[in-house]
Amino acid sequence: MKKIVITMITLILFGSLLAACGSKGGSATNSSGEKLEKVDLKVFISQPRFKKQYETYLEQFVEKQKEEKGRDINIKLEMPNVNQADQLLKTRLASGDSPDIFSLHAGNDIPVYDKAGYLEDLSGEPFIEKLYETVTPGVTIDDRVLAVPLETLQWGYLYNKDMFAEYNLEIPTTMSEMKEVIKVLEENDVTPFIRAYKDSYIPQLFLPLVVGASSATTNPDFMDNMNEGKGSFAELKDLFPVMDLVHAHGTDRAFEIGQDQGASDFANGKAAMWVQGAWMAESIVAAKEDFNFGVAALPINDDPNSTLINLSTSTSLAVSKESKVKDVAKDFINYVMDDEDSSALYESLAFNPISDLHTFDLYPWLEDSNAYVEDGRIYQDPTIPSAVKSESEKLFQSYFADDATQEAVIKGLDRSWEQYLKINN
């Protein structure tokens, strides 16, 4: 019996020793030989067209954390397309399956997600001191910074510079001048506008363009009236004329063309202009590397003072209040504004500089839009409720398909704003 017991104890000790050695040999270490803490980090970014750029930056972050913090981080990157992202993220947040870091639209989403209690307060994080003062308010509510901004947008419409030069066209500053541009283009068998309505957010772009420019000039009380429940889109006289003008002079098969095909068609000269933002620059340049295009303000009436560039903060990164690895998530948020690597990230994304850290040369189209900013010919992107924007996507698609009248569109937009007020007041 003694021999049996001794043999069993020996086997147990020997097995434990082997297990310990095997565990030690399989552990990840950094360059100093330190054993690494394993961490899973879930990242949700709704910009799949920038997959390569984000993957590269996340890999750099993983290496930096390995050496500086002793962490072995496994990134679980999710990049849904723009049409699915909003609902998917809301479902995940509501179900308790929240990403640790997620992208959101600063103007549209931060107020809603903050009210729902989804956003970690990032006030006091080091990245804040590195931002331009004009950028920080876009991600701030009640003196709390709730995200790190990625995209600051300066947009109106895109135009083919070579075509404009070929036909001696000046950038129009009024609707009448735009009609003359259209006339010259069509006389030379050039289609004036790209129409790409398959992605519903594209027709919706007319909403912030017209609401913003009109509110800044001819209808200064519009936003206040709507938020007080006493306004109507019937007051916005400039909305349908510019929508109708663009729609009447655009490319064929509008509802079969989405943003990516639209970018390719624009780059390959199928139309001279596109009511779209410079956030499509990467796709446009990918379609034709040497394509020469610029950014201009879209005229909405015959008052040149109303022809302004939309200035806004859009895509930003937030940390979930429910994250179990907030320290790691915050490290990445700060790494977005890293002293050494941030400039390369923003340059690769073709985003505007938002910090003195960003020392790269501006792309030509960003130089165009910056000229409007420097001249003060801008308006701040209007804070239209996201529910109203979502409703406008369906309504504008229906309007362009001749399935909805102007009266039906106005009624639908008014109703969605009224419902928003009931829910949030």
Side-chain angles (χ1 to χ4, degrees):
M1 178 65 75
K2 282 184 179 180
K3 288 182 179 180
I4 293 172
V5 172
I6 292 170
T7 301
M8 290 178 65
I9 292 172
T10 302
L11 288 171
I12 292 169
L13 290 173
F14 184 66
S16 299
L17 181 61
L18 286 174
C21 291
S23 174
K24 185 176 180 181
S27 299
T29 60
N30 60 16
S31 61
S32 301
E34 297 171 322
K35 186 176 178 180
L36 303 180
E37 171 195 2
K38 289 186 175 294
V39 179
D40 286 334
L41 184 69
K42 295 179 289 185
V43 181
F44 181 105
I45 302 177
S46 56
Q47 291 183 314
R49 67 186 187 278
F50 296 132
K51 186 173 185 289
K52 181 179 179 181
Q53 292 91 325
Y54 284 119
E55 284 181 339
T56 297
Y57 205 66
L58 284 163
E59 288 170 5
Q60 292 173 200
F61 173 68
V62 168
E63 290 303 312
K64 202 175 184 74
Q65 285 281 298
K66 185 180 293 183
E67 296 303 318
E68 296 182 359
K69 297 294 182 73
R71 293 170 178 153
D72 181 17
I73 300 177
N74 175 38
I75 302 288
K76 296 182 177 180
L77 178 61
E78 189 175 0
M79 302 193 79
N81 67 47
V82 68
N83 289 329
Q84 300 172 329
D86 185 58
Q87 188 56 49
L88 181 58
L89 179 59
K90 287 177 179 176
T91 300
R92 295 273 300 281
L93 291 169
S95 67
D97 183 27
S98 172
D100 300 298
I101 298 168
F102 53 87
S103 63
L104 75 176
H105 187 289
N108 296 344
D109 298 332
I110 285 181
V112 177
Y113 288 16
D114 178 49
K115 186 173 183 180
Y118 294 140
L119 304 182
E120 178 73 5
D121 186 355
L122 302 176
S123 302
E125 293 297 321
F127 78 85
I128 298 170
E129 297 300 319
K130 301 175 183 180
L131 299 175
Y132 289 146
E133 290 183 1
T134 54
V135 173
T136 308
V139 291
T140 302
I141 292 181
D142 298 332
D143 297 324
R144 292 172 297 120
V145 177
L146 298 171
V148 59
L150 290 174
E151 286 187 279
T152 54
L153 306 176
Q154 304 158 1
W155 64 286
Y157 69 96
L158 310 177
Y159 69 99
N160 186 320
K161 286 189 172 183
D162 291 338
M163 280 186 178
F164 268 60
E166 182 177 355
Y167 301 114
N168 298 313
L169 297 173
E170 299 290 335
I171 302 300
T173 61
T174 64
M175 281 276 281
S176 294
E177 290 178 4
M178 177 61 84
K179 291 175 183 177
E180 286 300 313
V181 167
I182 291 171
K183 180 181 177 182
V184 172
L185 290 170
E186 291 182 336
E187 286 175 348
N188 287 278
D189 297 322
V190 176
T191 303
F193 290 98
I194 291 287
R195 297 190 305 170
Y197 302 157
K198 183 178 180 180
D199 291 319
S200 59
Y201 87 90
I202 298 178
Q204 176 270 149
L205 294 175
F206 286 101
L207 188 68
L209 284 174
V210 178
V211 169
S214 181
S215 297
T217 54
T218 56
N219 288 4
D221 298 326
F222 177 76
M223 291 295 292
D224 287 342
N225 288 341
M226 294 302 295
N227 285 324
E228 291 170 8
K230 60 183 183 182
S232 170
F233 274 86
E235 304 166 20
L236 212 61
K237 304 299 182 183
D238 296 327
L239 180 59
F240 293 107
V242 66
M243 289 177 64
D244 291 344
L245 183 67
V246 172
H247 183 61
H249 300 278
T251 49
D252 297 330
R253 301 185 300 113
F255 291 95
E256 300 174 30
I257 305 296
Q259 65 173 17
D260 293 329
Q261 185 62 52
S264 178
D265 289 349
F266 181 56
N268 286 290
K270 291 192 176 181
M273 295 174 283
W274 190 15
V275 179
Q276 182 60 277
W279 53 81
M280 289 303 300
E282 191 266 349
S283 295
I284 292 169
V285 173
K288 188 176 182 182
E289 187 174 356
D290 60 349
F291 182 59
N292 186 20
F293 70 98
V295 176
L298 183 69
I300 63 169
N301 53 38
D302 273 339
D303 181 3
N305 293 319
S306 296
T307 304
L308 306 170
I309 280 284
N310 181 305
L311 177 64
S312 63
T313 300
S314 61
T315 307
S316 306
L317 293 180
V319 172
S320 171
K321 187 170 282 188
E322 302 303 316
S323 172
K324 301 296 190 295
V325 289
K326 287 182 185 176
D327 52 345
V328 181
K330 289 181 180 180
D331 276 357
F332 181 74
I333 292 297
N334 283 295
Y335 183 60
V336 171
M337 281 290 115
D338 184 77
D339 291 356
E340 296 179 358
D341 298 336
S342 177
S343 187
L345 171 67
Y346 278 73
E347 183 176 15
S348 71
L349 295 168
F351 289 167
N352 289 329
I354 64 169
S355 168
D356 287 333
L357 298 174
H358 300 157
T359 56
F360 53 88
D361 293 333
L362 291 180
Y363 292 100
W365 55 88
L366 296 181
E367 291 179 354
D368 288 346
S369 59
N370 273 343
Y372 283 91
V373 177
E374 291 172 359
D375 292 342
R377 292 179 292 159
I378 60 170
Y379 59 86
Q380 293 291 328
D381 190 55
T383 308
I384 301 170
S386 57
V388 177
K389 285 189 174 183
S390 295
E391 185 65 18
S392 74
E393 292 181 357
K394 296 177 286 187
L395 290 170
F396 288 1
Q397 277 188 325
S398 296
Y399 179 69
F400 284 142
D402 295 325
D403 291 334
T405 64
Q406 292 185 9
E407 290 74 19
V409 172
I410 290 170
K411 185 176 180 180
L413 292 174
D414 286 349
R415 183 174 58 249
S416 64
W417 207 308
E418 289 166 4
Q419 291 172 345
Y420 164 79
L421 292 176
K422 287 180 181 178
I423 293 171
N424 291 276
N425 287 339

